[in-house]
Amino acid sequence: KEHASSLIESIQSGNLNIPPLKVTPASNIDCLDYVFVSLRDCDLRENPRPDYLEDARVLINASSDVTASWSPNKDQDKTRQVFYTTDASISPSELKANLDNIFRSQGIEVLTSWHSDKTKRVTYTLSNPTHIINLLHQYPIINGKSYRTQQSLVIEPIYGLKVIVYNVNNWSYPRQTIEQYLQNCYGQKRGNQWFIAAASKIMKMHTVLYSAIPKSLFPL
């Protein structure tokens, strides 16, 4: 947190157009390699101004070896999380112990890990995204059986107002359908344009999604 706070202060000192920013640790318990940066001013949080944060993100990426990106969720970094599910031959705690040994032997740095008897799942947050790619292509083998590396469906936004609509598999015209819904609920938008930019259907982990950036979070 101290390193990130110092970096933010140096950027703001030379860019008076960026309002005060708040640096929040990702966890008060685990030692993680990232923080969350948000607007300190309450008015700016209640009336979203993602352009300020986007300017700060660009400056951070241009001035340091730290990478800044939009967070897809409020909790831990799920883009670097993988999980494994158990079967009748092994318990979650046993699976985790075996995976711990495999990751250690392969030099895979683990930030956090836990298992759940309820969900029959073992979850890891890894430091290096390359290790995740390798695990997605080559599953760990325990007692002669491979355990599939899985990830939750997470979409990394390219801008703070980006929204995702899931399960549009059967929609022939997703943008028109969504705009018609907004018009029916909130009335006519000036210029009949609700979005700054829009993308057509995209495929992510066998799920069809629709991605768009609205002009405002609140149409009225």
Side-chain angles (χ1 to χ4, degrees), residues 30-66:
D30 299 307
C31 182
L32 301 177
D33 62 353
Y34 63 95
V35 296
F36 293 112
V37 178
S38 58
L39 296 170
R40 187 182 297 274
D41 191 311
C42 292
D43 291 337
L44 293 176
R45 294 203 305 268
E46 293 175 0
N47 300 284
R49 288 295 305 270
D51 52 316
Y52 287 142
L53 287 175
E54 176 64 12
D55 290 343
R57 187 190 70 83
V58 172
L59 288 171
I60 292 172
N61 286 335
S63 61
S64 70
D65 57 354
V66 175

Short mmCIF file of all heavy atoms in Angstrom, two decimals, residues 30-66:
data_model
loop_
_atom_site.label_atom_id
_atom_site.label_comp_id
_atom_site.label_asym_id
_atom_site.label_seq_id
_atom_site.Cartn_x
_atom_site.Cartn_y
_atom_site.Cartn_z
N ASP A 30 -4.40 -11.20 4.16
CA ASP A 30 -3.43 -11.83 3.26
C ASP A 30 -2.47 -10.80 2.67
O ASP A 30 -2.82 -9.63 2.50
CB ASP A 30 -4.16 -12.55 2.12
CG ASP A 30 -5.08 -13.64 2.63
OD1 ASP A 30 -4.60 -14.49 3.39
OD2 ASP A 30 -6.27 -13.63 2.28
N CYS A 31 -1.27 -11.25 2.37
CA CYS A 31 -0.27 -10.41 1.74
C CYS A 31 -0.44 -10.52 0.22
O CYS A 31 -0.01 -11.50 -0.39
CB CYS A 31 1.14 -10.83 2.16
SG CYS A 31 2.45 -9.81 1.47
N LEU A 32 -1.08 -9.52 -0.39
CA LEU A 32 -1.37 -9.54 -1.82
C LEU A 32 -0.54 -8.49 -2.55
O LEU A 32 -0.03 -7.55 -1.94
CB LEU A 32 -2.87 -9.29 -2.05
CG LEU A 32 -3.81 -10.30 -1.39
CD1 LEU A 32 -5.26 -9.91 -1.61
CD2 LEU A 32 -3.54 -11.71 -1.91
N ASP A 33 -0.42 -8.65 -3.85
CA ASP A 33 0.46 -7.78 -4.63
C ASP A 33 -0.30 -6.71 -5.40
O ASP A 33 0.18 -6.19 -6.40
CB ASP A 33 1.31 -8.62 -5.60
CG ASP A 33 0.45 -9.37 -6.61
OD1 ASP A 33 -0.80 -9.35 -6.49
OD2 ASP A 33 1.03 -10.00 -7.53
N TYR A 34 -1.48 -6.35 -4.94
CA TYR A 34 -2.26 -5.32 -5.60
C TYR A 34 -3.11 -4.56 -4.60
O TYR A 34 -3.34 -5.02 -3.47
CB TYR A 34 -3.14 -5.91 -6.71
CG TYR A 34 -4.18 -6.88 -6.21
CD1 TYR A 34 -5.48 -6.48 -5.94
CD2 TYR A 34 -3.86 -8.23 -6.02
CE1 TYR A 34 -6.43 -7.37 -5.48
CE2 TYR A 34 -4.81 -9.13 -5.56
CZ TYR A 34 -6.09 -8.70 -5.30
OH TYR A 34 -7.02 -9.59 -4.84
N VAL A 35 -3.56 -3.38 -4.99
CA VAL A 35 -4.43 -2.54 -4.18
C VAL A 35 -5.57 -2.04 -5.05
O VAL A 35 -5.55 -2.18 -6.28
CB VAL A 35 -3.67 -1.33 -3.58
CG1 VAL A 35 -2.58 -1.79 -2.61
CG2 VAL A 35 -3.08 -0.45 -4.68
N PHE A 36 -6.57 -1.42 -4.41
CA PHE A 36 -7.67 -0.80 -5.14
C PHE A 36 -7.52 0.72 -5.05
O PHE A 36 -7.23 1.26 -3.98
CB PHE A 36 -9.02 -1.21 -4.56
CG PHE A 36 -9.34 -2.66 -4.75
CD1 PHE A 36 -9.41 -3.53 -3.67
CD2 PHE A 36 -9.58 -3.17 -6.01
CE1 PHE A 36 -9.69 -4.87 -3.85
CE2 PHE A 36 -9.87 -4.51 -6.20
CZ PHE A 36 -9.93 -5.36 -5.11
N VAL A 37 -7.68 1.39 -6.17
CA VAL A 37 -7.61 2.85 -6.22
C VAL A 37 -9.00 3.38 -6.58
O VAL A 37 -9.60 2.94 -7.57
CB VAL A 37 -6.57 3.33 -7.25
CG1 VAL A 37 -6.56 4.86 -7.32
CG2 VAL A 37 -5.19 2.80 -6.89
N SER A 38 -9.49 4.32 -5.79
CA SER A 38 -10.82 4.87 -6.02
C SER A 38 -10.79 6.38 -5.77
O SER A 38 -9.79 6.93 -5.30
CB SER A 38 -11.85 4.20 -5.10
OG SER A 38 -11.48 4.39 -3.73
N LEU A 39 -11.90 7.04 -6.08
CA LEU A 39 -12.01 8.48 -5.84
C LEU A 39 -12.31 8.72 -4.37
O LEU A 39 -13.18 8.07 -3.79
CB LEU A 39 -13.12 9.06 -6.71
CG LEU A 39 -12.89 8.98 -8.23
CD1 LEU A 39 -14.15 9.38 -8.97
CD2 LEU A 39 -11.73 9.88 -8.65
N ARG A 40 -11.60 9.66 -3.77
CA ARG A 40 -11.79 9.94 -2.34
C ARG A 40 -13.05 10.75 -2.09
O ARG A 40 -13.72 10.59 -1.08
CB ARG A 40 -10.57 10.69 -1.80
CG ARG A 40 -10.57 10.89 -0.29
CD ARG A 40 -9.36 11.69 0.13
NE ARG A 40 -8.13 10.99 -0.18
CZ ARG A 40 -7.57 10.08 0.62
NH1 ARG A 40 -8.15 9.76 1.76
NH2 ARG A 40 -6.45 9.48 0.28
N ASP A 41 -13.39 11.64 -3.01
CA ASP A 41 -14.53 12.54 -2.85
C ASP A 41 -15.85 11.76 -2.94
O ASP A 41 -16.11 11.08 -3.92
CB ASP A 41 -14.50 13.62 -3.95
CG ASP A 41 -15.49 14.74 -3.68
OD1 ASP A 41 -16.66 14.44 -3.38
OD2 ASP A 41 -15.09 15.92 -3.76
N CYS A 42 -16.68 11.87 -1.92
CA CYS A 42 -17.95 11.13 -1.88
C CYS A 42 -18.87 11.53 -3.03
O CYS A 42 -19.58 10.70 -3.59
CB CYS A 42 -18.65 11.36 -0.55
SG CYS A 42 -17.80 10.64 0.87
N ASP A 43 -18.90 12.83 -3.37
CA ASP A 43 -19.78 13.28 -4.46
C ASP A 43 -19.41 12.62 -5.78
O ASP A 43 -20.27 12.27 -6.58
CB ASP A 43 -19.71 14.80 -4.60
CG ASP A 43 -20.34 15.51 -3.42
OD1 ASP A 43 -21.19 14.89 -2.76
OD2 ASP A 43 -19.98 16.67 -3.15
N LEU A 44 -18.10 12.45 -6.00
CA LEU A 44 -17.66 11.84 -7.25
C LEU A 44 -17.95 10.35 -7.27
O LEU A 44 -18.08 9.76 -8.35
CB LEU A 44 -16.16 12.09 -7.45
CG LEU A 44 -15.76 13.55 -7.70
CD1 LEU A 44 -14.25 13.67 -7.79
CD2 LEU A 44 -16.41 14.08 -8.96
N ARG A 45 -18.03 9.73 -6.10
CA ARG A 45 -18.38 8.31 -6.06
C ARG A 45 -19.87 8.12 -6.30
O ARG A 45 -20.29 7.16 -6.94
CB ARG A 45 -17.98 7.70 -4.71
CG ARG A 45 -16.48 7.65 -4.48
CD ARG A 45 -16.12 6.57 -3.47
NE ARG A 45 -16.83 6.72 -2.21
CZ ARG A 45 -16.37 7.40 -1.17
NH1 ARG A 45 -15.20 8.01 -1.25
NH2 ARG A 45 -17.06 7.47 -0.05
N GLU A 46 -20.69 9.02 -5.78
CA GLU A 46 -22.13 8.90 -5.95
C GLU A 46 -22.56 9.29 -7.35
O GLU A 46 -23.58 8.83 -7.85
CB GLU A 46 -22.84 9.76 -4.90
CG GLU A 46 -22.65 9.26 -3.47
CD GLU A 46 -23.26 10.19 -2.45
OE1 GLU A 46 -23.84 11.22 -2.87
OE2 GLU A 46 -23.17 9.89 -1.25
N ASN A 47 -21.80 10.20 -7.98
CA ASN A 47 -22.06 10.60 -9.36
C ASN A 47 -20.83 10.20 -10.18
O ASN A 47 -19.89 10.99 -10.32
CB ASN A 47 -22.29 12.10 -9.46
CG ASN A 47 -23.48 12.54 -8.62
OD1 ASN A 47 -24.62 12.33 -9.02
ND2 ASN A 47 -23.22 13.12 -7.46
N PRO A 48 -20.81 8.98 -10.67
CA PRO A 48 -19.58 8.38 -11.23
C PRO A 48 -18.89 9.24 -12.28
O PRO A 48 -19.52 9.76 -13.20
CB PRO A 48 -20.09 7.07 -11.83
CG PRO A 48 -21.32 6.75 -11.04
CD PRO A 48 -21.96 8.06 -10.75
N ARG A 49 -17.57 9.36 -12.13
CA ARG A 49 -16.72 10.04 -13.10
C ARG A 49 -15.56 9.12 -13.45
O ARG A 49 -14.43 9.30 -12.99
CB ARG A 49 -16.20 11.36 -12.52
CG ARG A 49 -17.25 12.45 -12.41
CD ARG A 49 -17.76 12.89 -13.79
NE ARG A 49 -16.66 13.31 -14.66
CZ ARG A 49 -16.22 14.57 -14.73
NH1 ARG A 49 -16.77 15.50 -13.99
NH2 ARG A 49 -15.23 14.86 -15.55
N PRO A 50 -15.82 8.10 -14.24
CA PRO A 50 -14.76 7.16 -14.58
C PRO A 50 -13.64 7.78 -15.39
O PRO A 50 -12.54 7.23 -15.46
CB PRO A 50 -15.49 6.07 -15.38
CG PRO A 50 -16.70 6.76 -15.92
CD PRO A 50 -17.11 7.74 -14.87
N ASP A 51 -13.91 8.95 -16.01
CA ASP A 51 -12.85 9.59 -16.79
C ASP A 51 -11.67 10.00 -15.92
O ASP A 51 -10.52 9.93 -16.35
CB ASP A 51 -13.41 10.80 -17.54
CG ASP A 51 -14.17 11.77 -16.63
OD1 ASP A 51 -14.96 11.30 -15.79
OD2 ASP A 51 -13.96 12.99 -16.74
N TYR A 52 -11.94 10.39 -14.66
CA TYR A 52 -10.85 10.74 -13.75
C TYR A 52 -9.98 9.51 -13.48
O TYR A 52 -8.75 9.57 -13.51
CB TYR A 52 -11.41 11.28 -12.43
CG TYR A 52 -11.98 12.68 -12.51
CD1 TYR A 52 -13.11 13.02 -11.79
CD2 TYR A 52 -11.38 13.65 -13.31
CE1 TYR A 52 -13.63 14.30 -11.85
CE2 TYR A 52 -11.90 14.93 -13.38
CZ TYR A 52 -13.04 15.26 -12.64
OH TYR A 52 -13.55 16.52 -12.71
N LEU A 53 -10.62 8.41 -13.18
CA LEU A 53 -9.87 7.20 -12.89
C LEU A 53 -9.17 6.66 -14.13
O LEU A 53 -8.07 6.10 -14.04
CB LEU A 53 -10.80 6.13 -12.32
CG LEU A 53 -11.28 6.36 -10.88
CD1 LEU A 53 -12.30 5.28 -10.48
CD2 LEU A 53 -10.11 6.33 -9.91
N GLU A 54 -9.78 6.84 -15.29
CA GLU A 54 -9.13 6.40 -16.52
C GLU A 54 -7.87 7.23 -16.78
O GLU A 54 -6.83 6.67 -17.18
CB GLU A 54 -10.10 6.54 -17.70
CG GLU A 54 -9.50 6.20 -19.05
CD GLU A 54 -9.08 4.75 -19.20
OE1 GLU A 54 -9.44 3.92 -18.33
OE2 GLU A 54 -8.38 4.44 -20.18
N ASP A 55 -7.92 8.54 -16.52
CA ASP A 55 -6.73 9.38 -16.67
C ASP A 55 -5.63 8.92 -15.72
O ASP A 55 -4.45 8.83 -16.09
CB ASP A 55 -7.07 10.84 -16.40
CG ASP A 55 -7.94 11.46 -17.49
OD1 ASP A 55 -8.01 10.86 -18.59
OD2 ASP A 55 -8.55 12.51 -17.24
N ALA A 56 -6.03 8.62 -14.48
CA ALA A 56 -5.04 8.14 -13.50
C ALA A 56 -4.46 6.80 -13.92
O ALA A 56 -3.25 6.56 -13.77
CB ALA A 56 -5.69 8.05 -12.12
N ARG A 57 -5.30 5.92 -14.44
CA ARG A 57 -4.83 4.60 -14.87
C ARG A 57 -3.79 4.73 -15.97
O ARG A 57 -2.74 4.06 -15.93
CB ARG A 57 -6.02 3.77 -15.36
CG ARG A 57 -5.70 2.32 -15.69
CD ARG A 57 -6.85 1.64 -16.39
NE ARG A 57 -7.01 2.16 -17.74
CZ ARG A 57 -6.29 1.73 -18.79
NH1 ARG A 57 -5.35 0.81 -18.61
NH2 ARG A 57 -6.49 2.24 -19.99
N VAL A 58 -4.04 5.58 -16.94
CA VAL A 58 -3.10 5.77 -18.05
C VAL A 58 -1.78 6.32 -17.54
O VAL A 58 -0.69 5.88 -17.96
CB VAL A 58 -3.72 6.71 -19.11
CG1 VAL A 58 -2.69 7.08 -20.15
CG2 VAL A 58 -4.92 6.03 -19.77
N LEU A 59 -1.83 7.28 -16.61
CA LEU A 59 -0.61 7.89 -16.08
C LEU A 59 0.19 6.88 -15.26
O LEU A 59 1.43 6.85 -15.33
CB LEU A 59 -0.96 9.10 -15.21
CG LEU A 59 -1.45 10.33 -15.98
CD1 LEU A 59 -1.99 11.38 -15.02
CD2 LEU A 59 -0.33 10.91 -16.83
N ILE A 60 -0.49 6.03 -14.50
CA ILE A 60 0.20 5.01 -13.71
C ILE A 60 0.93 4.04 -14.62
O ILE A 60 2.10 3.71 -14.41
CB ILE A 60 -0.80 4.25 -12.81
CG1 ILE A 60 -1.34 5.17 -11.70
CG2 ILE A 60 -0.14 3.02 -12.20
CD1 ILE A 60 -2.47 4.56 -10.90
N ASN A 61 0.26 3.59 -15.67
CA ASN A 61 0.88 2.63 -16.59
C ASN A 61 2.05 3.24 -17.35
O ASN A 61 2.98 2.54 -17.74
CB ASN A 61 -0.16 2.11 -17.57
CG ASN A 61 -1.13 1.12 -16.92
OD1 ASN A 61 -0.79 0.49 -15.93
ND2 ASN A 61 -2.32 1.01 -17.47
N ALA A 62 2.00 4.56 -17.57
CA ALA A 62 3.05 5.22 -18.36
C ALA A 62 4.26 5.61 -17.52
O ALA A 62 5.34 5.82 -18.07
CB ALA A 62 2.48 6.46 -19.04
N SER A 63 4.09 5.69 -16.20
CA SER A 63 5.15 6.25 -15.38
C SER A 63 5.81 5.27 -14.43
O SER A 63 6.67 5.66 -13.65
CB SER A 63 4.60 7.43 -14.57
OG SER A 63 3.57 6.99 -13.69
N SER A 64 5.43 4.00 -14.46
CA SER A 64 6.01 3.06 -13.49
C SER A 64 5.95 1.64 -14.03
O SER A 64 5.44 1.39 -15.12
CB SER A 64 5.23 3.13 -12.17
OG SER A 64 3.93 2.59 -12.33
N ASP A 65 6.52 0.71 -13.25
CA ASP A 65 6.47 -0.69 -13.62
C ASP A 65 5.23 -1.37 -13.04
O ASP A 65 5.09 -2.59 -13.08
CB ASP A 65 7.74 -1.41 -13.14
CG ASP A 65 7.94 -1.28 -11.63
OD1 ASP A 65 7.16 -0.53 -10.99
OD2 ASP A 65 8.87 -1.90 -11.09
N VAL A 66 4.33 -0.58 -12.49
CA VAL A 66 3.08 -1.08 -11.94
C VAL A 66 2.02 -1.07 -13.04
O VAL A 66 1.95 -0.13 -13.83
CB VAL A 66 2.61 -0.23 -10.75
CG1 VAL A 66 1.24 -0.67 -10.25
CG2 VAL A 66 3.63 -0.30 -9.62
#
